[in-house]
């Protein structure tokens, strides 16, 4: 029973807390954290079943700072937010980008990363990599940046993981000129790219770099510019239930300390080969 392992006193208390009808404050001696376990290098599952990657290592450090016992569990991304609000676990940590829409149903912690995104394609099939562009919520700026991409992708098929911050972007700016195919996870989209079922995949640059570093993907490359900036929201953060303000405060304090003493930077450089601290 994940709920019991997470330290909840009773199902009655859960229901009361989620409805906002109680001011009960938990001691948070233990928490359960859900992650995908397949979004390398943010999180991955080792052959023996142990979870590893940037986020599990960071979470272990944060839990030590908070003096809280932590348990990581695997959950598919498409049901992660619903599972959190249903009380199946206490925290979600899966390279989740803060957006106004998500903030209506989830309370986000201090961001611990901020990363750009790009297309991945077979080398020479679309556009060569180009300099990074920082995009804001400005239509003229966005249209200018993506014009060459729209031309290159006209009539093509684009793969995108469903429910990500990038999905509505692809739908809005490319669905009128290309076929957009959604996947449960990014790894499946890459498999279809290699099988020539699709022509490009759009995803986070950290996932892209890890994917491209594998020998079996030596025929793939980034295509077009790296796109960063406020267009992707407020950076990657953990999510907790809106009612768990005390847990959010503990996590915020631990993340701020890990940013201040260089822990996040060190783990970022270990797993991403670059500094993605916000």
């Amino acid at each position: 029973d994940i709920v019991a392992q997470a330290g909840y006193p009773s199902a009655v208390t859960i229901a009361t807390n989620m409805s906002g009808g109680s001011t009960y404050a938990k001691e948070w001696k233990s928490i359960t954290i859900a992650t995908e376990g397949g979004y390398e290098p943010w999180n991955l599952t080792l052959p023996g079943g142990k979870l590893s990657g940037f986020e599990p290592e960071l979470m272990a450090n944060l839990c030590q700072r908070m003096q809280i016992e932590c348990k990581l569990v695997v959950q598919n991304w498409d049901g992660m937010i619903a599972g959190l609000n249903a009380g199946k676990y206490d925290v979600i940590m899966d390279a989740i980008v803060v957006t106004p829409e998500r903030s209506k149903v989830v309370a986000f912690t201090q961001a611990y990363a901020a990363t750009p995104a790009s297309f991945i394609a077979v080398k020479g099939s679309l556009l060569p990599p180009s300099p990074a562009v920082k995009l804001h919520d400005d239509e003229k700026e966005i249209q200018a940046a993506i014009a060459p991409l729209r031309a290159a992708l006209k009539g093509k098929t684009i793969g995108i993981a469903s429910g990500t911050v990038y999905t509505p972007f692809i739908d809005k700016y490319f669905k009128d000129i290309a076929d957009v195919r959604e996947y449960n996870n990014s790894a499946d989209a890459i498999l279809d790219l290699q099988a020539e079922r699709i022509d490009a995949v759009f995803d986070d640059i950290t996932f892209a770099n890890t994917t491209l570093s594998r020998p079996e993907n030596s025929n793939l490359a980034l295509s077009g510019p790296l796109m960063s900036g406020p267009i992707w929201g407020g950076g990657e953060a953990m999510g907790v239930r809106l009612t768990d303000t005390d847990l959010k405060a503990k996590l915020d304090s631990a993340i701020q300390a890990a940013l201040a003493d260089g822990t996040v930077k060190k783990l970022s450089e270990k797993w991403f080969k670059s500094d993605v601290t916000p």
Side-chain angles (χ1 to χ4, degrees), residues 18-95:
M18 287 180 66
S19 68
S22 171
T23 56
Y24 177 81
K26 287 189 60 178
E27 292 184 34
W28 297 108
K29 292 181 179 179
S30 65
I31 57 174
T32 299
I33 305 104
T35 192
E36 192 174 340
Y39 193 60
E40 191 174 350
W42 293 85
N43 52 77
L44 61 140
T45 304
L46 299 176
K50 181 182 177 182
L51 289 166
S52 185
F54 170 72
E55 290 177 318
E57 285 201 4
L58 175 58
M59 195 72 233
N61 179 275
L62 299 178
C63 289
Q64 187 175 30
R65 292 176 191 268
M66 297 185 294
Q67 297 184 323
I68 290 177
E69 182 183 348
C70 291
K71 177 184 177 181
L72 288 170
V73 296
V74 173
Q75 166 69 50
N76 287 337
W77 162 245
D78 57 3
M80 197 172 285
I81 291 176
L84 173 72
N85 285 324
K88 291 183 178 180
Y89 28 79
D90 310 297
V91 180
I92 53 176
M93 188 183 199
D94 193 42

